[in-house]
């Protein structure tokens, strides 16, 4: 961490506004990607998989980056909770699984679930490792900085 003094925490209203602004951008981006990668029949939800994996990777990188500096106290709520929270989607993932299974392919639905979970965790860990390498921080970064309430 930087030797600078930590910025004054924002008021609750400022934090709410940061989360809402980030969420608006994240959900708009997810919607636009969904238009670019529409579901192709009974196949997997490729757009959902893309946003969830890219969001997990970005979260890992963001956590590493935030751990190396003193930043605005609104940056984390904006980027982690709002932007990446709006970008990723568990509910659409659940609907994709239902659609795949409803299309008669239980094996494909299980494959989609396993791929999303395993690749998502892998992407988050890869993001942390990349961030640690890029921003030269300690190897136990996730334990030091990840706050369960915000992630």
């Amino acid at each position: 961490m930087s030797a600078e003094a930590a910025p004054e925490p924002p008021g609750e209203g400022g934090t709410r506004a940061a989360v809402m602004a980030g969420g608006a951008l994240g959900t708009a981006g997810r919607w636009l990607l969904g238009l670019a990668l529409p579901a192709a029949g009974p196949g997997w939800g490729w757009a959902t998989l893309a946003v969830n994996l890219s969001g997990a990777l970005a979260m890992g990188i963001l956590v590493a980056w935030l751990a190396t500096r003193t930043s605005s106290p609104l940056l984390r709520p904006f980027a982690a909770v709002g932007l990446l929270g709006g970008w990723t989607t568990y509910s659409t993932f659940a609907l994709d699984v239902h659609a795949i299974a409803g299309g008669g392919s239980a094996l494909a639905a299980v494959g989609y679930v396993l791929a999303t979970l395993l690749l998502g965790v892998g992407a988050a860990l890869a993001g942390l490792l990349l961030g640690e390498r890029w921003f030269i921080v300690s190897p136990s970064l996730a334990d030091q900085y990840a706050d369960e309430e915000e992630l």
Side-chain angles (χ1 to χ4, degrees), residues 33-48 92 96 99-100:
L33 184 68
L35 294 176
L37 296 174
W44 283 18
W46 293 108
T48 305
T92 304
D96 288 347
I100 295 166

Side-chain angles (χ1 to χ4, degrees), residues 7-114:
E8 183 75 21
E12 196 171 312
T15 301
R16 281 191 201 129
V19 170
M20 287 188 289
L25 292 173
T27 55
R30 176 168 33 99
W31 177 72
L32 290 171
L33 184 68
L35 294 176
L37 296 174
W44 283 18
W46 293 108
T48 305
L49 186 63
V51 298
N52 286 338
L53 296 183
S54 64
L57 178 69
M59 183 65 80
I61 293 170
L62 177 66
V63 166
W65 183 75
L66 288 173
T68 65
R69 61 198 23 85
T70 301
S71 61
S72 165
L74 295 176
L75 182 59
R76 185 175 175 145
F78 169 82
V81 180
L83 183 67
L84 293 176
W87 175 251
T88 58
T89 173
Y90 188 81
S91 56
T92 304
F93 162 68
L95 290 175
D96 288 347
V97 172
H98 182 266
I100 295 166
S105 184
L107 186 58
V110 170
Y112 182 64
V113 168
L114 290 175

Side-chain angles (χ1 to χ4, degrees), residues 101-146:
S105 184
L107 186 58
V110 170
Y112 182 64
V113 168
L114 290 175
T116 298
L117 294 175
L118 295 175
L119 293 174
V121 171
L125 291 174
L128 281 170
L129 293 173
L130 284 170
E132 288 172 353
R133 180 168 288 257
W134 290 343
F135 308 119
I136 312 170
V137 295
S138 70
S140 60
L141 180 62
D143 294 333
Q144 292 175 17
Y145 195 73

